[in-house]
Amino acid sequence: MQSLGVLLALASALVWGGGDFMGGLAARRTNHLNVLALSTLSGVLLLLASALVWREGVQSLRDLVWAVPAGLSGAVGIANLYRGLSLGNASTVAPIAAVIGAALPVAVGAFTESRPSMTQALGFALAICGIWFVTSSTQADSGSSTTSSEGLRLAILAGAGFGGFFVFMARTPEGTVFLPLTVARVIGLLAAVLLIKVRQMPLPSLTSSPLAIAAGVFDASGGVFFVLAREWTRFDVAAVLSSLYPVSTVLLARLFQNEHVSRRQWLGVGLCLGAVGLMTL
């Protein structure tokens, strides 16, 4: 049933990319921390409602332990990504964070699971290269952002945070989907509120950014697809395929905002598609 796991992971990438697209639009209109708080809140509500509808339970609170570091890692990743972008380091932060976020689960999977096949390993390499091209082209080609040691540090932290989310969430018990993700989202929400309070900003109203609310629904749904995917295929395969979300974001920007897609980005899309084919063999 590996093909089902691949399809679920690709669905995760598609949905996550949509969430990033809407979150980016929302961040242009309001403070990015407010976007983070609202999107995390809507995600918590959706996941909690889903857990109640599906009557999902856990045998022990220990089943939710790994969701706590997963939530912290995700919050670290998002906070450092937003910080790096706000400092004008998009060409450094976006591609490095995306690549590290995809590569970390591969490294962990090499030690915790059986070694991937040669075709899967080649697929991992193509996917990482494709993610780099897709995420770096627009900013790098325009020369509109600057590279700094601070940007590099933030990129590494962001990538480690995203990769950590994949690794820790994959350790949650199989058969439980919504409750671990709810715990992780609650941790992220608390982190967002703390950052807002530290900066002495007012908490956003629930109606201040419908786009942020929608982004949270998509982000939470992407997490559900990833958790389901890791039950049907290797977790590193699920993580790398889910990390293809920048492709979805770029294509949505092209479709709805008529943003230019460079040749390098189209090359990246092609590499990612090739990677999907290799990882399904």
Side-chain angles (χ1 to χ4, degrees):
M1 296 296 292
Q2 177 175 312
S3 58
L4 177 58
V6 169
L7 290 175
L8 288 168
L10 291 175
S12 175
L14 178 64
V15 175
W16 263 335
D20 280 0
F21 175 70
M22 287 183 287
L25 291 178
R28 296 179 185 179
R29 304 174 184 180
T30 186
N31 184 275
H32 65 272
L33 290 179
N34 288 342
V35 174
L36 176 60
L38 289 172
S39 63
T40 308
L41 176 61
S42 64
V44 168
L45 295 177
L46 173 67
L47 292 168
L48 186 58
S50 299
L52 292 174
V53 169
W54 289 94
R55 298 181 180 179
E56 186 176 87
V58 292
Q59 297 295 326
S60 169
L61 290 178
R62 288 180 296 179
D63 293 343
L64 302 177
V65 167
W66 288 108
V68 175
L72 289 173
S73 293
V76 167
I78 293 174
N80 282 281
L81 177 65
Y82 281 156
R83 176 62 175 166
L85 296 178
S86 69
L87 293 177
N89 287 280
S91 64
T92 300
V93 175
I96 293 178
V99 166
I100 293 178
L104 185 59
V106 173
V108 173
F111 290 97
T112 60
E113 301 188 17
S114 59
R115 295 179 61 182
S117 66
M118 185 64 67
T119 54
Q120 286 176 328
L122 181 57
F124 292 156
L126 280 182
I128 290 172
C129 290
I131 292 169
W132 176 273
F133 281 126
V134 168
T135 55
S136 65
S137 295
T138 299
Q139 295 294 336
D141 291 345
S142 65
S144 59
S145 56
T146 59
T147 302
S148 67
S149 58
E150 177 72 1
L152 179 61
R153 182 183 70 83
L154 293 170
I156 293 173
L157 289 174
F162 295 143
F165 172 83
F166 286 126
V167 172
F168 291 127
M169 190 54 66
R171 299 295 299 274
T172 58
E174 292 189 3
T176 57
V177 178
F178 302 112
L179 287 179
L181 286 169
T182 300
V183 171
R185 280 272 166 172
V186 168
I187 296 297
L189 177 60
L190 293 176
V193 172
L194 178 61
L195 287 172
I196 290 174
K197 288 298 185 181
V198 166
R199 296 194 178 189
Q200 298 181 337
M201 297 166 50
L203 291 174
S205 67
L206 296 179
T207 58
S208 61
S209 180
L211 273 174
I213 298 293
V217 171
F218 272 67
D219 288 343
S221 301
V224 171
F225 284 123
F226 166 71
V227 172
L228 290 173
R230 61 91 199 233
E231 296 188 9
W232 294 99
T233 188
R234 291 173 57 101
F235 110 85
D236 48 4
V237 171
V240 171
L241 291 176
S242 297
S243 296
L244 301 182
Y245 61 86
V247 175
S248 175
T249 304
V250 167
L251 294 179
L252 286 172
R254 171 62 178 170
L255 181 62
F256 291 103
Q257 294 186 299
N258 200 32
E259 289 191 6
H260 174 68
V261 180
S262 69
R263 291 181 179 178
R264 289 180 61 192
Q265 284 179 303
W266 283 121
L267 173 61
V269 171
L271 290 174
C272 290
L273 291 176
V276 172
L278 288 171
M279 281 186 274
T280 57
L281 293 178

